[in-house]
Amino acid sequence: MDAYIEQAGLGHILKKIRAGERLSLEDGKLLYEHPNILALGYLANIVRERLNGDQTYFIYNQHINYSNICTNLCKFCAFGRKREDALAYEMGIDEIRQKVRERLDEPIDEIHVVGGVHPDLPFSYYLDMLRAIQEERPGVHIQAFTCVEIHHLAQIAGKSVKATLQELMAAGLGSMPGGGAEVFSPRIRKLTCADKLPGEDWLDVAKTAHRLGLKTNATMLYGHIETIEERLEHLDALRRLQDETGGFLAFIPLAFHPKNTELGEGRSNTTGINDLKNVAVSRLMLDNFPHIKAYWIMLGPKMAQVALAFGADDMDGTVSEERITHMAGAETEQAIGHKTLIRLIREAGRQPVQRDTLYTVLDPC
């Protein structure tokens, strides 16, 4: 196979990977532009198996999207709504409690909570939400609030990001998801989400969380108007922060879903080749990230299976009632049972491993 990689013109990258050397942005550009997707998969799989062997992780989790009322109204988003919009909603604390109670018969290890940048909800609402979830399901790990949301909460609380995070952690916050990163490029943000937290500020919030011992994930939204160079600059910024803090758990490449979005007019969904390239290049460039997710909600279960041979080692979880991607036209299910996840992983030739949020192994299946 090494001869095949040499013939594909990627021998120098193979040597770097074998030696554990960091790939340059120029290497990443070559990989993104290379037509041989199987060669990319082979290279990414070397790193994947070096770090995680045949293991593929999943978690028994529940998603709660507490509100879609948002001041940002990004052009790539079909979820956010103005308050007066007919599709706008917000959950009261009792409704959130009920969402948790509805699934108390399931062995859920993580409750994942994200919403919009709501203009009116007080900081106390978010503290009460965390406490209510913990009261209904004591000991559950709550992964909640993107860096964008945290920055907003600090503003409405009139506190520093550090102090805001400390209060949220005291109320039950266990880790943070990776959303809101999109693409850090100022050009992209100006054109698609001008009112959103700038990329450098997203990174600063993540850095503050890491210094408090709070682990986070990271994402990149690809397949809209970004260039390859902007993708690589995004990955490099994450890689440099991970060098500094070591606080990222996983990276999740997120495919743009154009339906019902302002940016999506005339655009189609990403192709399978584009999806696999982003998984593979992410695995190869983010050498200091322990995990790469093939998020089945975005990719679909079948493509997520294939991605397990292209660098991904995690399929996320069971989820439930995911709204953000589905409002953008996703045709995937809103939940997959853990037995189905186990079957999908095994069919892909990998070993399923049930984990908790921090990647402690709960069941090697």
Side-chain angles (χ1 to χ4, degrees):
M1 190 68 186
D2 286 10
Y4 175 73
I5 299 299
E6 291 278 358
Q7 291 173 1
L10 297 172
H12 65 293
I13 292 182
L14 176 61
K15 288 177 184 177
K16 282 188 173 183
I17 292 167
R18 295 277 192 211
E21 295 178 15
R22 174 159 289 181
L23 299 188
S24 67
L25 298 188
E26 292 74 22
D27 293 331
K29 189 171 189 293
L30 174 62
L31 292 169
Y32 263 126
E33 293 178 341
H34 204 280
N36 193 328
I37 189 65
L38 295 181
L40 266 61
Y42 178 78
L43 294 171
N45 192 58
I46 293 172
V47 180
R48 182 248 201 263
E49 293 192 352
R50 178 190 298 154
L51 293 173
N52 295 293
D54 257 349
Q55 294 182 322
T56 294
Y57 298 91
F58 71 94
I59 189 168
Y60 209 125
N61 62 350
Q62 174 181 8
H63 279 216
I64 297 176
N65 300 132
Y66 59 88
S67 176
N68 66 346
I69 296 171
C70 186
T71 59
N72 286 341
L73 300 178
C74 304
K75 293 181 180 180
F76 48 71
C77 180
F79 178 70
R81 290 287 189 276
K82 293 181 180 179
R83 174 180 283 285
E84 61 271 17
D85 192 290
L87 294 177
Y89 76 90
E90 65 183 44
M91 296 182 186
I93 299 300
D94 287 344
E95 187 176 356
I96 292 170
R97 284 183 182 275
Q98 183 58 33
K99 291 287 183 186
V100 177
R101 288 182 193 139
E102 286 171 359
R103 299 188 66 192
L104 286 177
D105 60 332
E106 300 176 54
I108 288 169
D109 297 302
E110 172 193 285
I111 295 182
H112 180 108
V113 181
V114 294
V117 176
H118 198 296
D120 303 318
L121 291 172
F123 183 52
S124 59
Y125 168 89
Y126 301 90
L127 297 174
D128 290 344
M129 178 200 306
L130 294 171
R131 295 186 186 111
I133 292 171
Q134 287 287 355
E135 286 171 7
E136 298 299 332
R137 188 182 279 275
V140 74
H141 184 104
I142 303 175
Q143 182 170 93
F145 313 133
T146 66
C147 290
V148 176
E149 289 170 277
I150 293 295
H151 184 269
H152 170 66
L153 298 189
Q155 290 184 320
I156 62 175
K159 301 175 185 291
S160 67
V161 168
K162 179 181 178 181
T164 301
L165 284 169
Q166 287 172 324
E167 282 203 50
L168 292 167
M169 291 167 70
L173 180 64
S175 64
M176 289 165 52
E182 322 310 354
V183 177
F184 292 141
S185 162
R187 182 189 78 90
I188 293 293
R189 287 179 116 75
K190 182 178 180 180
L191 291 173
T192 65
C193 52
D195 295 328
K196 196 165 209 162
L197 185 70
E200 59 267 28
D201 292 338
W202 188 101
L203 291 163
D204 282 342
V205 174
K207 182 190 297 187
T208 301
H210 296 170
R211 287 176 172 169
L212 290 172
L214 199 66
K215 297 292 188 180
T216 76
N217 289 329
T219 61
M220 178 176 70
L221 183 71
Y222 66 87
H224 43 94
I225 63 170
E226 83 287 355
T227 64
I228 287 174
E229 289 79 6
E230 286 166 332
R231 291 180 192 173
L232 290 165
E233 289 166 2
H234 183 98
L235 294 174
D236 186 55
L238 292 173
R239 188 167 67 176
R240 285 185 279 111
L241 181 55
Q242 182 76 331
D243 279 341
E244 183 178 345
T245 68
F248 288 117
L249 290 166
F251 175 75
I252 310 103
L254 299 176
F256 174 52
H257 284 249
K259 190 175 181 181
N260 302 325
T261 70
E262 184 178 345
L263 190 63
E265 186 175 352
R267 299 179 187 277
S268 56
N269 286 358
T270 57
T271 65
I273 295 296
N274 197 357
D275 293 334
L276 293 176
K277 274 194 174 184
N278 276 282
V279 171
V281 175
S282 298
R283 179 62 287 169
L284 291 166
M285 294 299 294
L286 297 176
D287 50 62
N288 52 6
F289 272 63
H291 304 286
I292 304 291
K293 284 189 185 182
Y295 187 35
W296 66 263
I297 285 281
M298 285 283 200
L299 298 177
K302 294 178 181 179
M303 186 56 69
Q305 281 182 298
V306 178
L308 299 182
F310 283 76
D313 64 281
D314 191 302
M315 283 187 70
D316 197 73
T318 53
V319 191
S320 179
E321 200 181 347
E322 192 278 346
R323 300 192 187 193
I324 296 174
T325 310
H326 285 86
M327 290 183 79
E331 296 179 357
T332 54
E333 298 291 332
Q334 291 204 352
I336 284 184
H338 70 288
K339 291 182 180 178
T340 301
L341 277 172
I342 290 169
R343 176 180 59 79
L344 290 171
I345 293 167
R346 284 184 175 150
E347 285 179 353
R350 299 298 191 180
Q351 173 62 43
V353 177
Q354 186 175 347
R355 63 170 175 86
D356 65 10
T357 306
L358 303 179
Y359 284 85
T360 301
V361 173
L362 302 178
D363 184 357
C365 303

